[in-house]
Amino acid sequence: MKAAGFPPLAWYDALLELRRAANGLRAVDLEERMLLAQYSISRLVERLERADLLDRRPDPDDGRGRLLVLTQPGRDLLQAMWPAYAAAIQRHLGAALDKQEAVRMASLLQKVLDHGLAEIRP
């Protein structure tokens, strides 16, 4: 990503998780989805907010909480980063697997996701 002039991969991952959560995420939920420590998420969220890639909004279900919501510039950056990310995946992973192996790997990864990443967190 850096060679392509983009921010770090963690930015892409955070923006992707926020896009998947149409109504936003609490920071603790983003932390769980990304498997990062709380202090790392706090710094990442601050950087993304300063770059106008996310907004913090009141949580309608909990007045004390805040939701992290993807902004349009965040959506645009995510879309712009995808081709570089896809090329890196192909170069480092896809080229090493034939189609049958790639399908099997995708199936195994989906099984892990379905089981819940929180259960494999140290």
Side-chain angles (χ1 to χ4, degrees):
M1 298 304 247
K2 186 176 183 179
F6 290 116
L9 185 57
W11 286 40
Y12 180 89
D13 291 339
L15 296 174
L16 181 62
E17 290 301 335
L18 292 173
R19 190 191 75 199
R20 287 177 175 160
N23 297 320
L25 289 173
R26 294 178 65 120
V28 68
D29 297 324
L30 184 60
E31 176 186 333
E32 184 176 299
R33 289 178 183 209
M34 292 186 64
L35 302 175
L36 291 175
Q38 185 274 328
Y39 64 87
S40 295
I41 289 292
S42 293
R43 287 196 308 251
L44 177 59
V45 165
E46 287 173 14
R47 289 181 184 121
L48 294 171
E49 187 176 31
R50 277 195 308 267
D52 192 34
L53 302 174
L54 68 79
D55 283 332
R56 294 182 205 227
R57 297 184 183 158
D59 184 341
D61 297 327
D62 179 358
R64 299 169 296 161
R66 306 287 282 173
L67 291 176
L68 308 175
V69 180
L70 192 61
T71 62
Q72 189 59 51
R75 290 180 191 286
D76 295 343
L77 179 60
L78 185 63
Q79 184 174 356
M81 291 175 80
W82 171 244
Y85 191 21
I89 291 168
Q90 176 59 32
R91 186 172 50 255
H92 296 291
L93 185 62
L97 304 174
D98 64 29
K99 185 172 180 163
Q100 185 178 13
E101 291 168 330
V103 168
R104 178 74 176 135
M105 177 179 256
S107 173
L108 291 170
L109 290 172
Q110 187 61 54
K111 185 175 180 180
V112 170
L113 289 173
D114 292 345
H115 184 68
L117 289 176
E119 296 181 26
I120 63 171
R121 188 176 188 177

